[in-house]
Amino acid sequence: MPRREHRTKHLFITGGVVSSLGKGITAASVALLLKRRGYRVKIQKLDPYLNVDPGTMSPYQHGEVYVTEDGAETDLDLGHYERFTDIDCSQQSNYTTGRIYSDVLARERRGEYLGKTVQVIPHITDELKAAIRTLDGPDVDIAITEIGGTAGDIESLPFLEAIRQYRQEIGRERGLFVHLTLVPYIRAAGELKTKPSQQSVGILRGIGIIPDILVCRCERHLQQEHFDKLALFCNVDRELVFEEIDVANTIYEVPLDLAKQDLDKYILERFRMHVRDLDMDDWRSMVKRHIAPKKKKVEIAVVGKYISLRDAYKSIYEALEHGGMANDVELTIRQVEAEDLEKEGAKRCLKGVDGILVPGGFGDRGVEGKVAAIRYARENKVPFLGICLGMQCAVIEFARHVCGLEDANSTEFNPDTKAQVIHLMEDQRTIEDKGGTMRLGAYPCRLSDDSTAAKSYEGTQVSERHRHRYEFNNDFRSVFAEKGMRIAGTSPDDRLVELVEIPDHPWFVACQFHPEFKSRPLTAHPLFRDFVAASGGMLANE
Ligand code: GLN
């Protein structure tokens, strides 16, 4: 019997004119709308840089590293994908030039090319096509592939060639090119300009890609003349030119704006797929809740070391917003640079905040500032949420100031310290490579019945994502318990401490995992929801 061919459709999203247009948010919005139309969607990003994954990059370079269930260290756009669509990403959701080349070169060393000259075309492009094909399958109706970078970049050329070939192979009915461009408003002339978009489409055309759909980022609405001009000069059907105007309040407005213009409907029509109803009521009311006047103001301090770059704590800020929406409060975030806190003191930097959050991080810069912030939270009974390094700092702080272990530290910062309350995990000791070797991805955690966290989760068995090398040193468990820090969550075999709490405090929870990766706008993560509630003095059982 002939194999039944599945007919996954492919949508390729490229960007033009400038970077930072929000391609990831556009891709995530389109994915959300198509999912809401009842289709099974998968989404991935191909990044043209040479790092095998963003895991080894500084947050200053690349923003946050987003971790998937299966432990891939990925681009932060995948966070948008998951938050918008609630579809889990995986190792197949993010490929870089580095990852593709390292696979091809390993194969070359194994002699698998049988003496051939190994070249960008076809070997690299074939590998890129194979990466796209991983989304293709009987369980996927529409696969969305976002191409990182900007049309015209030297390094994205093999990617564009790969998607050109891919679409050529699957045909126009199964493949669509969406190009996201910028239509800038020139203040002095008082005009919106379409020329950069025309030129960007020209670059793509030179490579053999004619966009089917144009999505234009703009700060002012496009007029009829702009739509006409863009359609005519860019060779795109008039009804397939869309605007994506700067949103006033939240990125979660973007899918609503695109839906208003029927972008998803046109995509389905072009794919000759049935246009099912779209229900966005819950999404719309979530956005309304975000905008509407609030009962209460809650200010949360985030004390970190990459504060100057907003993207470095993307998922943290998003999860806090979700927590704010869930509690219907107006949430403001005070971004506190940990090093400033070292210089100016906790009191000055944290005065008046309702809650304090210390996020993850690496290296010792700013650690003393974080420890001081946690001491302030503990002593002044300010609700506190510590995440990963934030938990490790909470342990250090408690050891020093409550357990009397003055030199307590993590061996990451001081390998010679006597009280090594945080130390390298057993299975990390022999690892030398930095890339992709941490404890990564989802692991189960068992919470104690009486814990604050179990109350939030409404259960004691949870699974959360990790990204770390160091852990709580079990030798200190009993000292901590005696002095009032509860080991409230461990791995099911009880070997690893995953969550600690201070019961004699309004709300003090610190976890080794990263709950922020699993928070969604419609379903705030329980720890973030209750942390914000506690900060606003709104937790029922307080
Ligand atoms: N640097 C710490 C570790 O490796 C914490 C990591 C993190 O916060 N993600 O364990």
Side-chain angles (χ1 to χ4, degrees), residues 359-363 387-390 392 412-413 438 467-471 512 514:
F362 295 84
I387 292 176
C388 208
L389 180 62
Q392 298 175 356
E412 179 180 3
F413 315 128
M438 281 184 258
R467 181 171 186 252
H468 63 114
R469 288 182 208 288
Y470 293 82
E471 64 165 336
Q512 187 57 76
H514 288 269

Side-chain angles (χ1 to χ4, degrees), residues 192-375:
L192 283 162
K193 291 292 184 189
T194 63
K195 184 74 55 81
S197 299
Q198 296 175 39
Q199 286 173 336
S200 177
V201 170
I203 292 171
L204 286 182
R205 214 184 293 132
I207 302 166
I209 292 175
I210 300 180
D212 300 287
I213 295 173
L214 219 53
V215 179
C216 306
R217 287 299 317 278
C218 46
E219 57 175 293
R220 304 206 171 194
H221 285 293
L222 304 187
Q223 303 303 315
Q224 200 56 38
E225 50 170 317
H226 303 116
F227 283 110
D228 290 344
K229 216 167 168 183
L230 285 159
L232 183 65
F233 294 127
C234 298
N235 236 12
V236 175
D237 292 346
R238 166 64 188 82
E239 75 266 22
L240 297 181
V241 182
F242 299 86
E243 65 169 23
E244 191 185 313
I245 195 150
D246 292 353
V247 283
N249 300 288
T250 160
I251 52 169
Y252 299 121
E253 288 173 61
V254 174
L256 298 176
D257 283 354
L258 295 177
K260 243 186 250 159
Q261 302 170 69
D262 282 335
L263 171 61
D264 51 325
K265 177 172 155 257
Y266 282 110
I267 290 172
L268 291 172
E269 280 173 358
R270 280 299 308 268
F271 280 145
R272 296 186 197 280
M273 293 169 94
H274 181 56
V275 181
R276 301 179 186 143
D277 288 346
L278 176 68
D279 180 0
M280 293 290 283
D281 285 351
D282 54 347
W283 197 272
R284 205 167 292 113
S285 55
M286 176 266 290
V287 168
K288 268 207 198 110
R289 244 189 352 266
H290 191 280
I291 302 168
K294 308 291 179 193
K295 294 194 272 219
K296 216 176 172 147
K297 289 187 181 192
V298 172
E299 188 179 15
I300 303 286
V302 174
V303 183
K305 98 181 205 197
Y306 315 108
I307 287 295
S308 58
L309 188 80
R310 220 188 135 79
D311 275 356
Y313 298 116
K314 191 95 210 160
S315 295
I316 297 273
Y317 296 146
E318 288 296 317
L320 283 171
E321 287 293 342
H322 305 161
M325 286 194 273
N327 288 290
D328 198 22
V329 298
E330 183 183 331
L331 187 102
T332 47
I333 296 173
R334 188 186 298 182
Q335 303 178 1
V336 180
E337 189 66 66
E339 277 177 305
D340 292 347
L341 198 141
E342 283 168 17
K343 283 179 236 135
E344 293 165 30
K347 220 168 163 183
R348 220 169 126 186
C349 296
L350 298 172
K351 201 160 181 269
V353 298
D354 302 304
I356 296 171
L357 187 152
V358 177
F362 295 84
D364 64 353
R365 187 170 65 78
V367 161
E368 292 306 323
K370 292 175 190 177
V371 169
I374 297 166
R375 181 177 198 176

